Amino acid sequence: MANLTDSLNDLMSLEGALCAAVVDYNSGMMLASEGSGVDMELAAAGNTEVVRAKMKTIKALGLNENIDDILITLGKQYHIIRPCSRLAGIFVYYVLDNKRANLALARRKVTDVESAMTM
């Protein structure tokens, strides 16, 4: 089990990691962050809307599913959003440089970190 600081430091250890945050999607508030390159307060609030919209769509479609992760690819970055399976209302937001990062390893890393994270 790892606290928020340890969890974010673990994410930042991966090649190409730019920044990471833990966000409460009920309030849109960032609980912790690490790294630089993105306004994480603004990103936390904006990506809260992404998570809420996807959850609303899943419900409207009558799907009995949970979000594993949401991947947003930009010209120079990967953004991974992963709702926590054990911590209700929390998601991990992870930003990587797509020229230096390995996407498969990044998705695996965020999964491992999220599953061990405590608050």
Side-chain angles (χ1 to χ4, degrees), residues 31-46:
L31 304 175
S33 70
E34 186 67 42
S36 62
V38 173
D39 180 339
M40 293 304 276
E41 291 285 346
L42 183 59

Side-chain angles (χ1 to χ4, degrees), residues 11-84:
L11 288 173
M12 295 306 296
S13 70
L14 195 65
E15 175 70 23
L18 298 175
C19 48
V22 177
V23 181
D24 177 336
Y25 65 75
N26 293 310
S27 67
M29 298 294 294
M30 183 175 62
L31 304 175
S33 70
E34 186 67 42
S36 62
V38 173
D39 180 339
M40 293 304 276
E41 291 285 346
L42 183 59
N47 285 298
T48 292
E49 295 304 316
V50 171
V51 172
R52 287 178 184 165
K54 190 60 193 172
M55 289 183 167
K56 183 178 176 182
T57 302
I58 289 170
K59 184 176 180 179
L61 292 171
L63 302 176
N64 186 21
E65 293 283 346
N66 294 313
I67 299 169
D68 285 334
D69 61 28
I70 298 169
L71 172 63
I72 300 169
T73 58
L74 303 176
K76 296 178 183 178
Q77 297 174 345
Y78 297 130
H79 292 222
I80 300 172
I81 301 166
R82 182 167 182 92
C84 293

